[in-house]
Amino acid sequence: MAPFVHDFEDGNREAKDLLGGKGANLAEMTNLGIPVPPGFTIDTESCRAYLAAGTMPKGLAAEVAEHVTTLEGKTGRTLGAAADPLLVSVRSGAKFSMPGMMETVLNVGLNDASVEGLAAQTGNPRFAWDSYRRLLQMYGKTVLGLDGEHFEDAMDAIKSGKGVTGDLDLDTDDLRALVTAYKGIIRDGSGADFPQDPTAQLLGAVEAVFNSWNSDRAVLYRRRERIPADLGTAVNVQAMAFGNRGLDSGSGVAFTRDPATGARGVYGDYLQNAQGEDVVAGIRNTMTLEDLQRIDQASYDELVAIMDRLEKHYKDMCDIEFTVEDGKLFMLQTRVGKRTAEAAFRIATDLLDEGLIDEDEALQRVTGDQLAQLMFPHFDHTGARALLAKGMSASPGAAVGIAVFDSDTAVAKAADGIPVILVRRETNPDDLHGMVAAQGILTSRGGKTSHAAVVARGMGRTCVCGAEALDVDTKAKRFTTPTGLVITEGETISIDGSTGEIFAGEVAVKPSPVVQYFEGSIAAENGDPIVKSVHRLMAIADSRRRLRVRANADNAEDASRARRFGAEGIGLCRTEHMFLGDRRELVERLILAEGAEERQAVFDELLPLQREDFIEIFRSMDGLPVTIRLLDPPLHEFLPDLTELSVKVAVAEVTGHAIDKDTKLLAAVHRLHEQNPMLGLRGVRLGIAIPGLFEMQSQAILEAAAIVTEQGGHAFPEIMVPLVGAVEELRNIREEISEAAHEARVKHSVHLDHLVGTMIELPRAALTAGDIAEAADFFSFGTNDLTQTTWGFSRDDVESSFFSRYMEAGILGVSPFETIDRVGVGRLVRIGTDEGRRTKPGLKVGVCGEHGGDPESVHFFEERKLDYVSCSPFRVPVARLEAGRAVSGGGSDTR
Ligand code: ADP
Ligand code: MG
Ligand code: MG
């Protein structure tokens, strides 16, 4: 059988699966000759065996005993010996770092006898008793599961009895008294005395670390970070280095660069006369590394030299833990450090400049998600702010506005130019107009996949959701904070979608310099370091990527922005907004029309209006392809509300003022009413049901293109037919489009190329793609609808009802509307692409669903060799970056 236990000398950084990240890196440092206290790692395999069986795997205790003997040999000390005892730490450490989520016990091996030995050997009784009380406290909490407050209360009692506040004010006698008190707490709480046998302590601690893999907070953290639940943790047993031996000792944490900004230069915190956890626990004010330099130049120099070495070795920013024991430095941990989005970009290009990594590697060091974060406006963190509560960070950004509690008010205020934050318990599809109008959305219920969160992310709106501490009363138009503060409609609040924080009043915001750079208002050369880094990495990504990136844009303004952001065309131009507003009345007439002639009259009015819309879009996309989707949604969306109209007609009938048109309209609304409009009369079906409609749209498109061309521009229209399920549908509509092309040619004598293609958004379309390709010049996967129709999910319904339950139960790891479901929907994409191209080699294939801007999905589309992805203008840079990363990284890992 493979061993469960491995000395640090026998591991290396690659062995994270088996040794956990901490163990693997301790081994790496040991083998680099860096001063690390000796020790060994009990591997994750043992943890998995323990968790599966509920008991320690057979032979583990014996193996541990063997390695303890080796350790005793290396240190010249014996675990639990009355004189000069060996003490160890028992530390958790999983494959992926889960900071502070699991347990660690320090000073294992102390008991009533060895504490005296430690005191005598070091000549420092205060230190010995301080270490013992720490062991009792950690053991009580972690191994025996006692409430930490008991220990803190006992410490506070002794402090207040003495009239002191700091832990350094306690002398040896106080610490002795504390040890007695802690032992009492352990006896009362667990029904047994603290184990004096060091081996029992050690094995108890190991078991506690194993169990901490499944602590509530660890489970929650894994779910959030998408870390698999079955990896288990390793346990590192390591000789103690004592930072609490006096003022020449201490403990610290450091980064080899600033993890917030990425700036060069070491950065860290140090605490004199302290053990590890004290530094982060905030019990005393920490010192900086410059202070350490002043106090102990030799240790400082050695530390800086080691950090430099680690950085060159790992070729990345590292994060470390260290301890100084009586002027001697020990390294206790290192790993590639977590960093902000800004730091990630800056560090990547700095390391590139320093020659530590090449361009492809630099590109792998940043992600599209990080780029997206850099594009949201930020709160200025310098001023004073009044925090009201914290919710979940659902969609990043910084939003300020007055609190409003319903969508109609949101729209009304926004129309008056007043920025609003829409506050709801939760949102539903009826709130869409309010969400569009608001600067930000705040909900007290629901998680990161709630309706509010998903929709807000989709439209790039700032959102904080699930702020459960807030009591939202939408009827009374107010919410109450945990401290009883009441915020009513009209009061200004600020929400930070990146941190989930909610503030009273207005917190100052600054626009993202990265967006200003993409917009062209800041030149890269004049930008701050982050702009320069983004500029460089975007250039590398563009030089690597194969996928083209287009934008979804319905108007000239969005199209121009998309173009500035690097879009290489429009992949989806929706036409439904061209039938709203004043033109709604024309749609009503179209529906009430009796016969072809009346219909044609309406078309004749619509045609020039549509043509104008298209001219503007072609102009802003001069020289680039524009894919225009013919009318898709069901007609009833353009008609008055059924209930409202019914009431109106009923009232009119009673009062004898019935209007013929309203009555007819009501009949039409009834006729067009559908149980499930999503699966009803829409898309190509509409085009077939209303002859001439698609012809009119196509004619408007082609005439617009001809006009732009006549004026010296370059228009490349691609007409896209939605919701096709059978090639016959497409053939039918193609005839109308040919008619339109003919008419346009008659009117304008310019030469014009155009393509006619179809969306692939029904499973049947994907499955018969080989046939459909015969009538299509291109395919565009509408992955939103394809996901809905493949799963049988109506998005608006499922996301707000049971999706969070599905996430909790682990049925869905991520919403298939956010990241493409490779296995199911992705299979249809593969079939559709491959079979389409089998019929028509070189068939142009793109994607125009929201997935086109999702990092992980972009990697999938690269693997499937699509020609382009299309996404909202703000996601265009993200897609460009990820398309480059997908090629240069070779793999699909976007983490
Ligand atoms: P976490 O993963 O939560 O940081 P660690 O296992 O790193 O937990 O340990 C918690 C603290 O105890 C850290 O500050 C660490 O440096 C310190 N520590 C762990 N082992 C030792 C040791 N052998 N000697 C001195 N301090 C230690
Ligand atoms: Mg640590
Ligand atoms: Mg669709």
Side-chain angles (χ1 to χ4, degrees), residues 707-742:
I707 291 168
V708 169
T709 309
E710 277 167 355
Q711 295 165 346
H714 304 274
F716 298 100
E718 302 180 344
I719 299 175
M720 180 157 78
V721 185
L723 216 74
V724 164
V727 65
E728 291 78 9
E729 291 173 311
L730 185 58
R731 287 225 167 90
N732 182 305
I733 292 302
R734 264 204 102 125
E735 274 173 31
E736 283 200 15
I737 299 174
S738 304
E739 276 302 310
H742 175 73

Side-chain angles (χ1 to χ4, degrees), residues 456-474:
R457 269 198 301 276
M459 48 191 203
R461 233 12 129 258
T462 300
C463 176
V464 172
C465 67
E468 291 182 2
L470 299 183
D471 185 7
V472 175
D473 185 343
T474 48

